Amino acid sequence: MEGSWRDVLAVLAILAQLTASGSSYQIIEGPQNVTVLKGSEARFNCTVTHGWKLIMWALNGIVELSLTSQAPIITNNRFTSASYNRTDSFVSELIIHDVQPSDSGLVKCSLQNSKVFRSAFLSVQVMGTLDIPSNNLIVTLGEPYNVTCYALGWTPLPDISWELKVPVSHSSYYSFLEPGNFMRVLSVLDLTPLGNGTLTCVALLKDLQANKSLTVNLTVVQPPPDSIGGEGPALPTWAIILLAVAFSLLLILIIVLIIIFCCCCVSRREKEESTYQNEIRKSANMKMNNTDAETRLKSGKENYGYSSDEARAAQTASLPPKSGEVSLPEQHSRSLPYQEPNKHRPSPASHPQVSFDIASPQKVRNVTLV
């Protein structure tokens, strides 16, 4: 029944538009651009002179609301109107309820049977969600820690900042788009906490100055006993760098000392070998000289028939007193055992006796006894 009345009123409005003359009114002030959040209300005002017959509101080229001097003609419950009479003008207000991103576009106010209109732009922004992986963060005292805040589903993309209610020695943050997902913004907070507190991630839509925040608790614990230093916070970065440089220099010094020591050992060994070779050469030269001297001394022929007076006297003393025969003793260690010479009959002293040692044929001595 209500729909039938709306159709009737629409037909009457069209008839009034066709029959009325529009030369006696005009638009004094048209609507202004509006930016709103998704789900809120958007309001547009259109001020016209008195004597108007029909005011029409269109969104993106589609008439959503018509207004006559008797009553508005509503075709969509999301679009309503309010009216204000002034002394010299009339104000028609368009109200869009539960605004959606699809409502973004051109809003136009026009008068019946007239080419006069005014328009404005409707911008709908979306406040998405914020997320931090953990609501309770447990970190080590004095150690750097990173906290990431994710902003998803925001239109346009928000500006993200951090509010710290925790003592820190250092803090900084930066934001960037997630690779492969240009509708998701990440903000990373880098801090070195010194005590317990809270961290708040704040996302702001600058055009509306609308923001959303998310707070997490941060708990600081003491470092384990087996950590560096055993007690207190970890070494600062500059101290770690200094230790690394000192260790590197010490290592280089040790390598240089080892190289010098090896070079000295090699040089000493070469020197010792050279001295030893010189000694060997000297010893060889001395032996060669001695050998040459002995060779020169023995170069003559040995006279085995010579016998010194002392040897001759000793040999004469060893002969038996009653025998005129003489036997020569063995000269070499390899000769046969001594054999007693055969005794001959006495012979005249004028005949000499000769005895030969057969075991030593190389050396023969002749002895004549008178």
Side-chain angles (χ1 to χ4, degrees):
M1 187 67 179
E2 182 179 357
S4 300
W5 279 106
R6 288 179 179 176
D7 294 336
V8 172
L9 293 175
V11 171
L12 292 175
I14 293 173
L15 292 175
Q17 180 180 4
L18 293 175
T19 57
S21 59
S23 59
S24 61
Y25 51 85
Q26 61 182 353
I27 298 175
I28 300 174
E29 183 179 2
Q32 304 296 321
N33 295 336
V34 174
T35 300
V36 296
L37 285 174
K38 174 187 175 182
S40 62
E41 291 182 352
R43 293 174 177 265
F44 297 90
N45 292 332
C46 185
T47 303
V48 299
T49 59
H50 290 294
W52 59 275
K53 299 300 180 180
L54 182 66
I55 300 175
M56 294 179 294
W57 289 95
L59 176 62
N60 292 325
I62 300 175
V63 176
E64 301 288 355
L65 177 67
S66 298
L67 182 65
T68 65
S69 56
Q70 289 80 21
I73 302 174
I74 300 174
T75 58
N76 189 333
N77 291 330
R78 292 180 54 239
F79 296 86
T80 60
S81 68
S83 300
Y84 309 96
N85 275 313
R86 295 177 181 175
T87 305
D88 57 349
S89 62
F90 176 82
V91 178
S92 174
E93 183 178 29
L94 171 67
I95 305 173
I96 304 175
H97 302 273
D98 190 21
V99 178
Q100 299 297 316
S102 59
D103 295 333
S104 297
L106 192 65
V107 177
K108 184 170 68 173
C109 170
S110 61
L111 298 176
Q112 74 278 12
N113 200 21
S114 173
K115 295 181 180 180
V116 178
F117 67 90
R118 296 288 187 274
S119 61
F121 193 81
L122 172 62
S123 176
V124 180
Q125 297 188 357
V126 180
M127 185 176 291
T129 60
L130 290 177
D131 180 46
I132 296 177
S134 177
N135 293 330
N136 294 297
L137 305 176
I138 300 176
V139 300
T140 303
L141 177 65
E143 291 188 1
Y145 189 79
N146 292 333
V147 184
T148 303
C149 180
Y150 300 88
L152 179 63
W154 293 70
T155 304
L157 297 177
D159 292 337
I160 301 179
S161 60
W162 290 84
E163 295 178 358
L164 279 65
K165 294 183 179 179
V166 57
V168 297
S169 62
H170 166 77
S171 66
S172 63
Y173 66 89
Y174 57 94
S175 302
F176 58 94
L177 290 175
E178 182 180 13
N181 186 356
F182 298 105
M183 295 300 294
R184 188 176 184 180
V185 183
L186 280 68
S187 180
V188 179
L189 172 65
D190 182 13
L191 76 162
T192 303
L194 300 177
N196 300 333
T198 59
L199 304 175
T200 302
C201 176
V202 180
L204 172 67
L205 293 174
K206 292 187 296 183
D207 293 340
L208 297 175
Q209 291 300 307
N211 63 75
K212 180 180 286 189
S213 62
L214 178 63
T215 301
V216 295
N217 296 319
L218 186 141
T219 304
V220 176
V221 297
Q222 295 295 328
D226 57 348
S227 62
I228 298 176
E231 297 179 358
L235 291 176
T237 304
W238 64 267
I240 296 175
I241 296 175
L242 183 61
L243 289 176
V245 173
F247 179 78
S248 300
L249 293 176
L250 180 61
L251 183 61
I252 293 173
L253 180 60
I254 292 174
I255 294 173
V256 171
L257 291 176
I258 291 174
I259 293 173
I260 293 174
F261 178 76
C262 292
C263 292
C264 292
C265 290
V266 171
S267 178
R268 183 177 179 182
R269 182 176 299 174
E270 291 178 353
K271 185 176 180 180
E272 290 179 354
E273 289 179 356
S274 177
T275 304
Y276 177 72
Q277 291 176 357
N278 291 334
E279 292 294 334
I280 290 176
R281 293 191 188 98
K282 289 180 181 180
S283 177
N285 292 332
M286 291 178 65
K287 288 182 179 180
M288 290 177 65
N289 293 333
N290 293 335
T291 304
D292 293 340
E294 291 177 358
T295 303
R296 285 194 299 270
L297 291 175
K298 294 181 180 180
S299 60
K301 295 182 179 180
E302 183 178 1
N303 185 4
Y304 293 98
Y306 172 77
S307 177
S308 64
D309 293 340
E310 294 178 356
R312 188 180 300 171
Q315 184 177 6
T316 304
S318 63
L319 292 175
K322 293 183 178 182
S323 175
E325 299 175 356
V326 177
S327 176
L328 295 178
E330 186 69 24
Q331 295 291 329
H332 300 279
S333 60
R334 296 182 181 178
S335 62
L336 295 174
Y338 175 76
Q339 295 180 358
E340 185 178 358
N342 295 326
K343 293 182 180 181
H344 301 275
R345 293 179 180 180
S347 60
S350 59
H351 298 280
Q353 299 292 327
V354 179
S355 177
F356 297 94
D357 189 354
I358 301 175
S360 180
Q362 296 178 353
K363 295 181 181 181
V364 177
R365 294 185 181 182
N366 296 325
V367 178
T368 303
L369 296 178
V370 180

